[in-house]
Amino acid sequence: MLPQLEGRQSLALSEGGTSDKALFMRVTKVWKKGDSPSCPTILPFAIPFPLNYMVNGKSVTVPPSFSTHFSGTPGLSGKISYELSVHITRPRLGQWK
């Protein structure tokens, strides 16, 4: 099981141009086959939310979640978003322990 926390910045222009980049990505391994004879029924985890990220070698404060559409410029929008996802992989039925 691999929980992942990712911060993204997205910009869109009316001419169809877009910019989408990762601000940061944190992944932590919670459990892997072989760590114990069988997968535990509860897998607690924590991924600390970063206070800063790097831009051109400089530390910058992580911005809050944000989404806007600029009314004076049709089609111009910007967004800062954060996503927590958990990836679980299991073998075919009959091989799960």
Side-chain angles (χ1 to χ4, degrees):
M1 184 171 115
L2 292 172
Q4 173 179 303
L5 177 62
E6 182 178 28
R8 298 200 71 77
Q9 172 186 298
S10 303
L11 298 171
L13 303 171
S14 58
E15 294 84 31
T18 60
S19 170
D20 187 42
K21 71 175 191 171
L23 302 178
F24 67 86
M25 181 183 297
R26 291 198 170 175
V27 179
T28 186
K29 182 187 93 166
V30 175
W31 183 84
K32 179 175 107 176
K33 186 176 181 179
D35 288 349
S36 59
S38 62
C39 181
T41 55
I42 297 174
L43 294 166
F45 67 91
I47 301 177
F49 202 91
L51 299 176
N52 300 299
Y53 68 103
M54 299 301 287
V55 175
N56 299 325
K58 294 182 181 179
S59 180
V60 179
T61 303
V62 173
S65 299
F66 181 74
S67 181
T68 188
H69 296 277
F70 297 94
S71 58
T73 310
L76 180 60
S77 63
K79 180 169 77 169
I80 301 289
S81 61
Y82 301 94
E83 180 178 291
L84 174 64
S85 56
V86 178
H87 300 271
I88 300 172
T89 314
R90 68 178 191 96
R92 295 186 320 241
L93 292 174
Q95 296 181 356
W96 186 262
K97 291 186 177 192

